[in-house]
Every structure is written in C-alpha cells, then in structure tokens.
Amino acid sequence: AQKVTQAQTEISVVEKEDVTLDCVYETRDTTYYLFWYKQPPSGELVFLIRRNSFDEQNEISGRYSWNFQKSTSSFNFTITASQVVDSAVYFCALSESRVNDYKLSFGAGTTVTVRA
Amino acid sequence: DSGVTQTPKHLITATGQRVTLRCSPRSGDLSVYWYQQSLDQGLQFLIQYYNGEERAKGNILERFSAQQFPDLHSELNLSSLELGDSALYFCASSLGLDPVGEQFFGPGTRLTVL
C-alpha cells in the first residue's frame, strides 16, 4: 500500500501565485517523521523540512509554509508568491523509524512549474 | 553545494556487468545512506551505514551491496546489471546515527544499463 500519496502530479502557475502541494500519508505508528524535499532541474535533492508526529505546529520559513494535520494525515506545503526558481519536483516522505530499522517512504513527487 | 561528493557523475554499461559507485560524505558526518531514483519505482531508500557498520536496509536487491570504509567514504556495488537498474543513485550523509535528522544529498550518479 502506498504510504505517501502526492495526488498532484504536475502543477503549473504564473509567477507570484501561491501554490499548495498536498501530501497524505498512512501509518499505524504513533511516532513518525514527515519530510519535504526539493529536486530542482539540476537533479540534487534538497532537504526542506522535518516534522515529527508530536509537533503539529505549522511552520513558516520565508515563502515556504507547512500545514501538518494529524486528523487528516496530511502534511501540505505552500509556496507563497512563487518564483521561477521554485520550479522543481517536490517530494513528501514518511519515516517510520525505530532503532536500527530506518524506513523511509517517498511520495511520487509533484512537479511544479512556475512561469514568468 | 551539500559537501557530499559522488563519482562518477554518469555511468553507461551493459547488462550483466558490475559497477561501483562512490560517495564521500560531508566532513564529520558518520552516516551514509544510499537511495535509488527510477522512473518505475520512484525514490527508494536502499541502505544506511554508520561509522563503518550497516545499520538499516531498505529495498536493496541481493545483487547490490555496499560498504563504508574507515575513512567513511562509501561504495555501492551493483552486479549482474539489468535494464531496470538504470536509475539515478543518490548518496546522502548525516552527522549521527539518527536517520531522521537532516540528510545532505550528493549530486547523484546516473547509471544507464544498455
């Protein structure tokens, strides 16, 4: 079963528009971690954020913000006032880790294209 | 630049062959992780090493193996290659054993199996 679902395959916006990427996860663990990664056209993966299951506070970092809702098993990511440099593939990931048993499941990714 | 280096950047080989991918972690990082990104399977965690010891295994095939050397660099060995092994292989590193901390990714090695 898919543990992390990113239902949006591609999103295209015009510069300065806001864009929200959805991430829905599935786990039976009470302790888990959620991540967002960015993969720009150059190919490398860039860590954006980690959130543990006990911290439901939303987070804002510059133009990026994340909304974690355990009740709906979602960890959505919003880019405010998008820029062309935000064009990338964004991956949501779930880690159900235990000692010596690291598990990390990635979603399929959402390709964001920001047009000038 | 994450500080993680991977060589080679590109690798083209034939089915049935064996290749070795190399990763040097960021200075001071003790954990190394390998990931595979393919069109079919998406991004998958393969294996983690910490200070020379294997600590966790993900979806790594038996034809694949890895090791971490005393100088902390790591190698991923892929043998009896199949067309489906064509993928981008990432190495990542982190400071400690805890795999849920921030990981820094290398630029990847793109493997093409013909």
Side-chain angles (χ1 to χ4, degrees):
Chain A
Q2 188 82 346
K3 287 187 175 287
V4 180
T5 302
Q6 294 180 253
Q8 305 144 308
T9 307
E10 293 183 34
I11 299 176
S12 182
V13 297
V14 176
E15 222 173 4
K16 296 184 185 172
E17 285 185 356
D18 296 348
V19 56
T20 295
L21 311 181
D22 297 334
C23 173
V24 174
Y25 63 91
E26 180 186 327
T27 180
R28 293 182 180 176
D29 287 4
T30 54
T31 302
Y32 53 90
Y33 296 82
L34 296 161
F35 302 80
W36 276 95
Y37 289 89
K38 174 182 179 180
Q39 187 174 37
S42 51
E44 76 278 15
L45 277 166
V46 178
F47 168 92
L48 295 178
I49 191 172
R50 177 188 81 167
R51 173 66 74 225
N52 75 55
S53 53
F54 298 106
D55 182 2
E56 287 193 74
Q57 273 194 321
N58 292 330
E59 180 153 341
I60 297 175
S61 176
R63 296 183 297 105
Y64 294 170
S65 62
W66 290 270
N67 182 281
F68 176 30
Q69 292 197 336
K70 283 176 80 169
S71 59
T72 55
S73 297
S74 64
F75 186 44
N76 297 337
F77 171 35
T78 298
I79 303 172
T80 303
S82 60
Q83 300 176 1
V84 173
V85 292
D86 296 326
S87 296
V89 183
Y90 292 86
F91 293 95
C92 180
L94 165 71
S95 177
E96 301 163 289
S97 292
R98 299 159 186 81
V99 176
N100 293 337
D101 186 19
Y102 173 48
K103 295 184 193 300
L104 184 66
S105 303
F106 286 91
T110 298
T111 300
V112 173
T113 303
V114 182
R115 307 185 309 276
Chain B
D1 185 348
S2 66
V4 178
T5 60
Q6 289 187 248
T7 56
K9 195 165 185 174
H10 300 278
L11 197 48
I12 301 175
T13 188
T15 53
Q17 295 298 305
R18 172 188 169 97
V19 298
T20 298
L21 312 184
R22 183 188 168 104
C23 168
S24 292
R26 286 189 326 155
S27 178
D29 283 358
L30 298 177
S31 273
V32 168
Y33 311 80
W34 286 97
Y35 296 87
Q36 178 196 58
Q37 185 177 26
S38 66
L39 288 175
D40 292 344
Q41 304 289 333
L43 258 171
Q44 294 192 97
F45 162 67
L46 296 179
I47 197 164
Q48 177 200 7
Y49 276 82
Y50 174 78
N51 205 21
E53 291 187 7
E54 180 187 306
R55 296 310 295 251
K57 263 187 174 178
N59 299 320
I60 188 166
L61 299 172
E62 284 192 12
R63 300 183 286 110
F64 296 1
S65 64
Q67 53 184 328
Q68 187 180 27
F69 294 87
D71 67 352
L72 301 177
H73 90 271
S74 177
E75 293 181 355
L76 179 67
N77 300 296
L78 316 177
S79 61
S80 302
L81 285 168
E82 303 175 359
L83 295 177
D85 298 328
S86 295
L88 187 54
Y89 290 85
F90 287 106
C91 165
S93 73
S94 67
L95 178 60
L97 176 59
D98 181 3
V100 294
E102 182 172 356
Q103 295 181 20
F104 296 87
F105 283 78
T109 292
R110 184 166 293 283
L111 173 66
T112 302
V113 182
L114 300 175

